[in-house]
Amino acid sequence: QVQLVESGGGLVQPGGSLRLSCAASVRDFSIYTMGWYRQAPGKQRELVASITTTGSIKNYADSVKGRFTVSRDNAKNTVYLQMNSLKPEDTAVYYCNTQRHFMGPPAGSWGQGTQVTVSS
């Protein structure tokens, strides 16, 4: 199974930035399309961003377009989420996961996630 470890979350003021990392303990990381998801208290987990195997195509939820950037480093088995201009509504636990296809359902087990709190 793919083991995923998210990191980089924290408390930040509105307008601030954070970079999240997702380290995948898996062989052939480059064959997986990856996604970032988030879940706020009382809400379902939602897809935030997706990235293809080489990073050539990316997709974002409308709520984060222009503010978030997903990237990956296949040599390091890591996917990143750069979050700028953060808003209180971005507060959530953020998770990464493999996808069955680009922008498709999550395919693996969930990690612990990393908490992002945007508050003044």
Side-chain angles (χ1 to χ4, degrees), residues 36-40 43-48 61 63-64 67-68 83 86 89-95:
W36 280 99
Y37 307 78
R38 67 185 182 187
Q39 186 170 26
K43 295 184 178 180
Q44 289 189 319
R45 211 185 316 254
E46 63 176 333
L47 178 63
V48 174
S63 59
V64 306
R67 300 188 298 119
F68 289 12
M83 306 185 297
L86 284 162
E89 51 262 45
D90 295 319
T91 296
V93 179
Y94 284 71
Y95 304 85

PDB file of all heavy atoms in Angstrom, residues 36-40 43-48 61 63-64 67-68 83 86 89-95:
ATOM      1  N   TRP A  36      -4.790  16.770  -3.848  1.00  0.00           N
ATOM      2  CA  TRP A  36      -4.891  17.357  -2.517  1.00  0.00           C
ATOM      3  C   TRP A  36      -6.362  17.529  -2.174  1.00  0.00           C
ATOM      4  O   TRP A  36      -7.159  17.986  -3.002  1.00  0.00           O
ATOM      5  CB  TRP A  36      -4.190  18.711  -2.445  1.00  0.00           C
ATOM      6  CG  TRP A  36      -2.704  18.636  -2.294  1.00  0.00           C
ATOM      7  CD1 TRP A  36      -1.769  18.766  -3.264  1.00  0.00           C
ATOM      8  CD2 TRP A  36      -1.989  18.424  -1.071  1.00  0.00           C
ATOM      9  NE1 TRP A  36      -0.508  18.647  -2.740  1.00  0.00           N
ATOM     10  CE2 TRP A  36      -0.612  18.441  -1.396  1.00  0.00           C
ATOM     11  CE3 TRP A  36      -2.363  18.234   0.255  1.00  0.00           C
ATOM     12  CZ2 TRP A  36       0.385  18.264  -0.437  1.00  0.00           C
ATOM     13  CZ3 TRP A  36      -1.378  18.050   1.209  1.00  0.00           C
ATOM     14  CH2 TRP A  36      -0.025  18.064   0.860  1.00  0.00           C
ATOM     15  N   TYR A  37      -6.702  17.178  -0.950  1.00  0.00           N
ATOM     16  CA  TYR A  37      -8.066  17.251  -0.460  1.00  0.00           C
ATOM     17  C   TYR A  37      -8.066  17.986   0.871  1.00  0.00           C
ATOM     18  O   TYR A  37      -7.046  18.073   1.542  1.00  0.00           O
ATOM     19  CB  TYR A  37      -8.653  15.855  -0.264  1.00  0.00           C
ATOM     20  CG  TYR A  37      -8.557  14.966  -1.478  1.00  0.00           C
ATOM     21  CD1 TYR A  37      -7.356  14.350  -1.820  1.00  0.00           C
ATOM     22  CD2 TYR A  37      -9.667  14.730  -2.283  1.00  0.00           C
ATOM     23  CE1 TYR A  37      -7.263  13.531  -2.937  1.00  0.00           C
ATOM     24  CE2 TYR A  37      -9.580  13.910  -3.396  1.00  0.00           C
ATOM     25  CZ  TYR A  37      -8.378  13.316  -3.715  1.00  0.00           C
ATOM     26  OH  TYR A  37      -8.296  12.508  -4.821  1.00  0.00           O
ATOM     27  N   ARG A  38      -9.214  18.494   1.237  1.00  0.00           N
ATOM     28  CA  ARG A  38      -9.320  19.114   2.550  1.00  0.00           C
ATOM     29  C   ARG A  38     -10.681  18.807   3.156  1.00  0.00           C
ATOM     30  O   ARG A  38     -11.656  18.575   2.455  1.00  0.00           O
ATOM     31  CB  ARG A  38      -9.087  20.625   2.483  1.00  0.00           C
ATOM     32  CG  ARG A  38     -10.158  21.416   1.738  1.00  0.00           C
ATOM     33  CD  ARG A  38      -9.739  22.878   1.631  1.00  0.00           C
ATOM     34  NE  ARG A  38     -10.743  23.690   0.959  1.00  0.00           N
ATOM     35  CZ  ARG A  38     -10.569  24.964   0.625  1.00  0.00           C
ATOM     36  NH1 ARG A  38      -9.423  25.579   0.906  1.00  0.00           N
ATOM     37  NH2 ARG A  38     -11.541  25.631   0.013  1.00  0.00           N
ATOM     38  N   GLN A  39     -10.700  18.818   4.471  1.00  0.00           N
ATOM     39  CA  GLN A  39     -11.932  18.558   5.193  1.00  0.00           C
ATOM     40  C   GLN A  39     -12.034  19.506   6.377  1.00  0.00           C
ATOM     41  O   GLN A  39     -11.184  19.494   7.269  1.00  0.00           O
ATOM     42  CB  GLN A  39     -11.996  17.113   5.675  1.00  0.00           C
ATOM     43  CG  GLN A  39     -13.313  16.739   6.311  1.00  0.00           C
ATOM     44  CD  GLN A  39     -13.442  15.252   6.571  1.00  0.00           C
ATOM     45  OE1 GLN A  39     -12.433  14.560   6.734  1.00  0.00           O
ATOM     46  NE2 GLN A  39     -14.663  14.765   6.597  1.00  0.00           N
ATOM     47  N   ALA A  40     -13.062  20.318   6.358  1.00  0.00           N
ATOM     48  CA  ALA A  40     -13.348  21.213   7.462  1.00  0.00           C
ATOM     49  C   ALA A  40     -14.293  20.512   8.432  1.00  0.00           C
ATOM     50  O   ALA A  40     -15.016  19.596   8.049  1.00  0.00           O
ATOM     51  CB  ALA A  40     -13.970  22.504   6.943  1.00  0.00           C
ATOM     52  N   LYS A  43     -17.908  18.981   7.617  1.00  0.00           N
ATOM     53  CA  LYS A  43     -18.059  18.935   6.171  1.00  0.00           C
ATOM     54  C   LYS A  43     -17.382  17.699   5.596  1.00  0.00           C
ATOM     55  O   LYS A  43     -16.514  17.097   6.221  1.00  0.00           O
ATOM     56  CB  LYS A  43     -17.472  20.189   5.525  1.00  0.00           C
ATOM     57  CG  LYS A  43     -18.180  21.483   5.885  1.00  0.00           C
ATOM     58  CD  LYS A  43     -17.590  22.649   5.110  1.00  0.00           C
ATOM     59  CE  LYS A  43     -18.317  23.934   5.407  1.00  0.00           C
ATOM     60  NZ  LYS A  43     -17.733  25.072   4.634  1.00  0.00           N
ATOM     61  N   GLN A  44     -17.798  17.341   4.397  1.00  0.00           N
ATOM     62  CA  GLN A  44     -17.169  16.237   3.692  1.00  0.00           C
ATOM     63  C   GLN A  44     -15.827  16.665   3.126  1.00  0.00           C
ATOM     64  O   GLN A  44     -15.587  17.842   2.877  1.00  0.00           O
ATOM     65  CB  GLN A  44     -18.068  15.734   2.565  1.00  0.00           C
ATOM     66  CG  GLN A  44     -19.314  15.000   3.025  1.00  0.00           C
ATOM     67  CD  GLN A  44     -20.039  14.342   1.881  1.00  0.00           C
ATOM     68  OE1 GLN A  44     -20.161  14.923   0.800  1.00  0.00           O
ATOM     69  NE2 GLN A  44     -20.511  13.127   2.097  1.00  0.00           N
ATOM     70  N   ARG A  45     -14.978  15.688   2.921  1.00  0.00           N
ATOM     71  CA  ARG A  45     -13.707  15.950   2.284  1.00  0.00           C
ATOM     72  C   ARG A  45     -13.932  16.389   0.838  1.00  0.00           C
ATOM     73  O   ARG A  45     -14.764  15.814   0.129  1.00  0.00           O
ATOM     74  CB  ARG A  45     -12.844  14.686   2.322  1.00  0.00           C
ATOM     75  CG  ARG A  45     -11.356  14.948   2.392  1.00  0.00           C
ATOM     76  CD  ARG A  45     -10.570  13.650   2.312  1.00  0.00           C
ATOM     77  NE  ARG A  45     -11.110  12.584   3.121  1.00  0.00           N
ATOM     78  CZ  ARG A  45     -10.589  12.152   4.264  1.00  0.00           C
ATOM     79  NH1 ARG A  45      -9.486  12.705   4.752  1.00  0.00           N
ATOM     80  NH2 ARG A  45     -11.162  11.155   4.915  1.00  0.00           N
ATOM     81  N   GLU A  46     -13.211  17.409   0.417  1.00  0.00           N
ATOM     82  CA  GLU A  46     -13.374  17.927  -0.924  1.00  0.00           C
ATOM     83  C   GLU A  46     -12.044  17.965  -1.657  1.00  0.00           C
ATOM     84  O   GLU A  46     -10.988  18.152  -1.054  1.00  0.00           O
ATOM     85  CB  GLU A  46     -13.989  19.332  -0.907  1.00  0.00           C
ATOM     86  CG  GLU A  46     -13.128  20.382  -0.216  1.00  0.00           C
ATOM     87  CD  GLU A  46     -13.702  21.782  -0.301  1.00  0.00           C
ATOM     88  OE1 GLU A  46     -14.445  22.063  -1.266  1.00  0.00           O
ATOM     89  OE2 GLU A  46     -13.416  22.599   0.597  1.00  0.00           O
ATOM     90  N   LEU A  47     -12.110  17.800  -2.953  1.00  0.00           N
ATOM     91  CA  LEU A  47     -10.926  17.857  -3.797  1.00  0.00           C
ATOM     92  C   LEU A  47     -10.523  19.302  -4.020  1.00  0.00           C
ATOM     93  O   LEU A  47     -11.335  20.125  -4.439  1.00  0.00           O
ATOM     94  CB  LEU A  47     -11.197  17.171  -5.129  1.00  0.00           C
ATOM     95  CG  LEU A  47     -10.074  17.175  -6.165  1.00  0.00           C
ATOM     96  CD1 LEU A  47      -8.852  16.413  -5.654  1.00  0.00           C
ATOM     97  CD2 LEU A  47     -10.565  16.556  -7.472  1.00  0.00           C
ATOM     98  N   VAL A  48      -9.267  19.604  -3.760  1.00  0.00           N
ATOM     99  CA  VAL A  48      -8.742  20.954  -3.896  1.00  0.00           C
ATOM    100  C   VAL A  48      -7.925  21.119  -5.164  1.00  0.00           C
ATOM    101  O   VAL A  48      -8.056  22.109  -5.878  1.00  0.00           O
ATOM    102  CB  VAL A  48      -7.891  21.333  -2.662  1.00  0.00           C
ATOM    103  CG1 VAL A  48      -7.218  22.684  -2.852  1.00  0.00           C
ATOM    104  CG2 VAL A  48      -8.758  21.339  -1.411  1.00  0.00           C
ATOM    105  N   ALA A  61      -9.902  23.510  -7.621  1.00  0.00           N
ATOM    106  CA  ALA A  61     -11.249  23.927  -7.289  1.00  0.00           C
ATOM    107  C   ALA A  61     -11.367  25.429  -7.494  1.00  0.00           C
ATOM    108  O   ALA A  61     -10.403  26.177  -7.296  1.00  0.00           O
ATOM    109  CB  ALA A  61     -11.574  23.563  -5.846  1.00  0.00           C
ATOM    110  N   SER A  63     -12.622  27.623  -5.772  1.00  0.00           N
ATOM    111  CA  SER A  63     -12.400  28.384  -4.555  1.00  0.00           C
ATOM    112  C   SER A  63     -10.930  28.707  -4.292  1.00  0.00           C
ATOM    113  O   SER A  63     -10.631  29.615  -3.512  1.00  0.00           O
ATOM    114  CB  SER A  63     -12.978  27.638  -3.350  1.00  0.00           C
ATOM    115  OG  SER A  63     -12.381  26.363  -3.210  1.00  0.00           O
ATOM    116  N   VAL A  64     -10.012  27.981  -4.942  1.00  0.00           N
ATOM    117  CA  VAL A  64      -8.595  28.194  -4.681  1.00  0.00           C
ATOM    118  C   VAL A  64      -7.816  28.620  -5.917  1.00  0.00           C
ATOM    119  O   VAL A  64      -6.613  28.903  -5.811  1.00  0.00           O
ATOM    120  CB  VAL A  64      -7.933  26.937  -4.079  1.00  0.00           C
ATOM    121  CG1 VAL A  64      -8.697  26.474  -2.847  1.00  0.00           C
ATOM    122  CG2 VAL A  64      -7.838  25.816  -5.103  1.00  0.00           C
ATOM    123  N   ARG A  67      -4.748  31.167  -6.221  1.00  0.00           N
ATOM    124  CA  ARG A  67      -4.120  31.285  -4.908  1.00  0.00           C
ATOM    125  C   ARG A  67      -3.258  30.079  -4.557  1.00  0.00           C
ATOM    126  O   ARG A  67      -2.241  30.222  -3.882  1.00  0.00           O
ATOM    127  CB  ARG A  67      -5.181  31.475  -3.823  1.00  0.00           C
ATOM    128  CG  ARG A  67      -6.036  32.720  -4.013  1.00  0.00           C
ATOM    129  CD  ARG A  67      -6.950  32.961  -2.808  1.00  0.00           C
ATOM    130  NE  ARG A  67      -7.890  31.855  -2.609  1.00  0.00           N
ATOM    131  CZ  ARG A  67      -7.930  31.102  -1.521  1.00  0.00           C
ATOM    132  NH1 ARG A  67      -7.086  31.313  -0.520  1.00  0.00           N
ATOM    133  NH2 ARG A  67      -8.833  30.129  -1.418  1.00  0.00           N
ATOM    134  N   PHE A  68      -3.663  28.897  -4.996  1.00  0.00           N
ATOM    135  CA  PHE A  68      -2.948  27.665  -4.680  1.00  0.00           C
ATOM    136  C   PHE A  68      -2.228  27.151  -5.920  1.00  0.00           C
ATOM    137  O   PHE A  68      -2.720  27.306  -7.044  1.00  0.00           O
ATOM    138  CB  PHE A  68      -3.908  26.575  -4.199  1.00  0.00           C
ATOM    139  CG  PHE A  68      -4.509  26.798  -2.836  1.00  0.00           C
ATOM    140  CD1 PHE A  68      -4.404  28.014  -2.181  1.00  0.00           C
ATOM    141  CD2 PHE A  68      -5.189  25.764  -2.210  1.00  0.00           C
ATOM    142  CE1 PHE A  68      -4.964  28.215  -0.929  1.00  0.00           C
ATOM    143  CE2 PHE A  68      -5.754  25.947  -0.959  1.00  0.00           C
ATOM    144  CZ  PHE A  68      -5.642  27.175  -0.317  1.00  0.00           C
ATOM    145  N   MET A  83       0.185  27.492  -0.912  1.00  0.00           N
ATOM    146  CA  MET A  83      -1.051  28.193  -0.624  1.00  0.00           C
ATOM    147  C   MET A  83      -0.730  29.640  -0.292  1.00  0.00           C
ATOM    148  O   MET A  83      -0.048  29.919   0.696  1.00  0.00           O
ATOM    149  CB  MET A  83      -1.800  27.535   0.534  1.00  0.00           C
ATOM    150  CG  MET A  83      -2.052  26.043   0.336  1.00  0.00           C
ATOM    151  SD  MET A  83      -3.070  25.326   1.645  1.00  0.00           S
ATOM    152  CE  MET A  83      -1.988  25.576   3.052  1.00  0.00           C
ATOM    153  N   LEU A  86      -4.161  33.224   1.841  1.00  0.00           N
ATOM    154  CA  LEU A  86      -5.058  32.333   2.571  1.00  0.00           C
ATOM    155  C   LEU A  86      -6.215  33.088   3.209  1.00  0.00           C
ATOM    156  O   LEU A  86      -6.058  34.221   3.667  1.00  0.00           O
ATOM    157  CB  LEU A  86      -4.286  31.563   3.627  1.00  0.00           C
ATOM    158  CG  LEU A  86      -3.449  30.412   3.068  1.00  0.00           C
ATOM    159  CD1 LEU A  86      -2.392  29.979   4.069  1.00  0.00           C
ATOM    160  CD2 LEU A  86      -4.355  29.238   2.703  1.00  0.00           C
ATOM    161  N   GLU A  89     -11.797  30.661   5.293  1.00  0.00           N
ATOM    162  CA  GLU A  89     -12.522  29.516   4.768  1.00  0.00           C
ATOM    163  C   GLU A  89     -11.611  28.412   4.244  1.00  0.00           C
ATOM    164  O   GLU A  89     -12.087  27.333   3.894  1.00  0.00           O
ATOM    165  CB  GLU A  89     -13.508  29.946   3.667  1.00  0.00           C
ATOM    166  CG  GLU A  89     -12.890  30.811   2.589  1.00  0.00           C
ATOM    167  CD  GLU A  89     -13.132  32.294   2.807  1.00  0.00           C
ATOM    168  OE1 GLU A  89     -12.964  32.760   3.956  1.00  0.00           O
ATOM    169  OE2 GLU A  89     -13.503  32.985   1.836  1.00  0.00           O
ATOM    170  N   ASP A  90     -10.312  28.663   4.180  1.00  0.00           N
ATOM    171  CA  ASP A  90      -9.358  27.619   3.829  1.00  0.00           C
ATOM    172  C   ASP A  90      -9.017  26.729   5.017  1.00  0.00           C
ATOM    173  O   ASP A  90      -8.309  25.730   4.855  1.00  0.00           O
ATOM    174  CB  ASP A  90      -8.066  28.232   3.283  1.00  0.00           C
ATOM    175  CG  ASP A  90      -8.277  28.967   1.972  1.00  0.00           C
ATOM    176  OD1 ASP A  90      -9.032  28.464   1.111  1.00  0.00           O
ATOM    177  OD2 ASP A  90      -7.671  30.048   1.808  1.00  0.00           O
ATOM    178  N   THR A  91      -9.480  27.091   6.190  1.00  0.00           N
ATOM    179  CA  THR A  91      -9.201  26.313   7.388  1.00  0.00           C
ATOM    180  C   THR A  91      -9.760  24.904   7.250  1.00  0.00           C
ATOM    181  O   THR A  91     -10.948  24.714   7.012  1.00  0.00           O
ATOM    182  CB  THR A  91      -9.795  26.991   8.626  1.00  0.00           C
ATOM    183  OG1 THR A  91      -9.157  28.255   8.821  1.00  0.00           O
ATOM    184  CG2 THR A  91      -9.595  26.140   9.866  1.00  0.00           C
ATOM    185  N   ALA A  92      -8.897  23.920   7.398  1.00  0.00           N
ATOM    186  CA  ALA A  92      -9.289  22.526   7.230  1.00  0.00           C
ATOM    187  C   ALA A  92      -8.082  21.645   7.502  1.00  0.00           C
ATOM    188  O   ALA A  92      -6.956  22.123   7.629  1.00  0.00           O
ATOM    189  CB  ALA A  92      -9.806  22.271   5.810  1.00  0.00           C
ATOM    190  N   VAL A  93      -8.333  20.352   7.570  1.00  0.00           N
ATOM    191  CA  VAL A  93      -7.256  19.379   7.542  1.00  0.00           C
ATOM    192  C   VAL A  93      -7.013  19.020   6.084  1.00  0.00           C
ATOM    193  O   VAL A  93      -7.951  18.666   5.365  1.00  0.00           O
ATOM    194  CB  VAL A  93      -7.590  18.123   8.360  1.00  0.00           C
ATOM    195  CG1 VAL A  93      -6.451  17.114   8.278  1.00  0.00           C
ATOM    196  CG2 VAL A  93      -7.860  18.493   9.810  1.00  0.00           C
ATOM    197  N   TYR A  94      -5.779  19.110   5.662  1.00  0.00           N
ATOM    198  CA  TYR A  94      -5.423  18.862   4.270  1.00  0.00           C
ATOM    199  C   TYR A  94      -4.773  17.497   4.130  1.00  0.00           C
ATOM    200  O   TYR A  94      -3.891  17.125   4.904  1.00  0.00           O
ATOM    201  CB  TYR A  94      -4.483  19.948   3.758  1.00  0.00           C
ATOM    202  CG  TYR A  94      -5.188  21.246   3.465  1.00  0.00           C
ATOM    203  CD1 TYR A  94      -5.663  22.042   4.497  1.00  0.00           C
ATOM    204  CD2 TYR A  94      -5.402  21.661   2.146  1.00  0.00           C
ATOM    205  CE1 TYR A  94      -6.339  23.226   4.230  1.00  0.00           C
ATOM    206  CE2 TYR A  94      -6.067  22.847   1.877  1.00  0.00           C
ATOM    207  CZ  TYR A  94      -6.537  23.627   2.917  1.00  0.00           C
ATOM    208  OH  TYR A  94      -7.194  24.799   2.650  1.00  0.00           O
ATOM    209  N   TYR A  95      -5.204  16.762   3.114  1.00  0.00           N
ATOM    210  CA  TYR A  95      -4.722  15.423   2.842  1.00  0.00           C
ATOM    211  C   TYR A  95      -4.265  15.320   1.395  1.00  0.00           C
ATOM    212  O   TYR A  95      -4.768  16.031   0.524  1.00  0.00           O
ATOM    213  CB  TYR A  95      -5.827  14.384   3.039  1.00  0.00           C
ATOM    214  CG  TYR A  95      -6.486  14.364   4.391  1.00  0.00           C
ATOM    215  CD1 TYR A  95      -7.550  15.213   4.675  1.00  0.00           C
ATOM    216  CD2 TYR A  95      -6.066  13.479   5.372  1.00  0.00           C
ATOM    217  CE1 TYR A  95      -8.178  15.184   5.909  1.00  0.00           C
ATOM    218  CE2 TYR A  95      -6.685  13.448   6.608  1.00  0.00           C
ATOM    219  CZ  TYR A  95      -7.741  14.297   6.868  1.00  0.00           C
ATOM    220  OH  TYR A  95      -8.363  14.260   8.089  1.00  0.00           O
TER     221      TYR A  95
END
